[in-house]
Amino acid sequence: MNGVIITNPPKAAEKDVAALSGYGVATVHEALGRTGCLGPGLRPIQQGARIAGTAVTVLSRPGDNLMIHAAVEQCGEGDILVVATTSPSTDGMFGELFATALQRRGVRGLVIDAGVRDTAELRAMGFPVWSAAVCAQGTVKATAGSVNVPVVIGGQCVRPGDVVLADDDGVMYVPRERSGEAVEAAEARTAKEEASRAAFAEGQLGLDRYGLRETLVRLGVRYQSYEEYQRNGPRP
């Protein structure tokens, strides 16, 4: 495949990225209508890390990390490196040396739909990673790919400059044009959740707070005592 390296793509506003960094992935995902999730295949190699930044994207051949080397040059303060491959791969395409170079440039973490290695070292140096696999299998540097082009992960198309958020629950992205909307939606979602948390702490049930009793009735769900159930058996 022919390759291209795009320089200086547009990015989401820094103030929006900073604001979104205060919210969890699940909160922003729900706030935007349950959109943007990159799926269950990307798992953190550490626990307790939460990052938000702008995507620098890489499209590589499986088992070839040449374009990650090229992407390092395009990365800067506040970015997150997002790597996809042209077909499924679990090879360890990224490790401690890459992370050292990226940390020096202010990169906040890695999201890779392939494998990583040197995980103990990555945790020790505090470089957060979300990957599809952990594998010691090495790679080559022989095939052209692209940097800062749209990449597809988990059925979602991530573009350079989009906001990427990652925490213990997984990874999501926000289109760069929607970053301001995402901040407002996350604020509203958080306020709603805080009100519900206070109500639940006082003993209110979700059935009543969310009007779910009516939903149960509409779906034909009945309440029945244990004795009635034993006597009559389940209703077809």
Side-chain angles (χ1 to χ4, degrees), residues 129-192:
V129 171
W130 287 256
S131 69
V134 173
C135 184
Q137 176 64 48
T139 59
V140 299
K141 303 165 180 60
T143 313
S146 294
V147 176
N148 278 334
V149 298
V151 297
V152 175
I153 299 177
Q156 304 290 324
C157 182
V158 182
R159 301 166 305 159
D162 285 345
V163 185
V164 174
L165 299 95
D167 60 19
D168 287 347
D169 291 334
V171 185
M172 72 165 293
Y173 85 104
V174 177
R176 55 184 182 250
E177 300 90 349
R178 299 188 66 190
S179 61
E181 173 191 348
V183 173
E184 294 178 359
E187 289 174 351
R189 175 81 186 182
T190 299
K192 179 180 178 181

Side-chain angles (χ1 to χ4, degrees), residues 68-139:
I68 298 179
H69 283 278
V72 171
E73 184 181 26
Q74 303 305 316
C75 290
E77 186 73 35
D79 286 331
I80 294 175
L81 189 63
V82 179
V83 181
T85 54
T86 55
S87 60
S89 176
T90 58
D91 294 344
M93 298 176 63
F94 184 99
E96 174 194 6
L97 296 181
F98 270 138
T100 300
L102 290 175
Q103 267 193 338
R104 175 65 177 80
R105 302 179 77 85
V107 174
R108 292 174 178 166
L110 169 75
V111 172
I112 180 169
D113 194 16
V116 297
R117 58 187 188 178
D118 302 335
T119 54
E121 290 80 2
L122 292 170
R123 286 190 292 271
M125 65 191 296
F127 188 81
V129 171
W130 287 256
S131 69
V134 173
C135 184
Q137 176 64 48
T139 59

Side-chain angles (χ1 to χ4, degrees), residues 213-225:
R213 295 190 188 279
E214 293 80 2
T215 301
L216 293 176
V217 171
R218 177 172 54 81
L219 295 174
V221 178
R222 299 180 300 140
Y223 284 87
Q224 196 174 61
S225 71

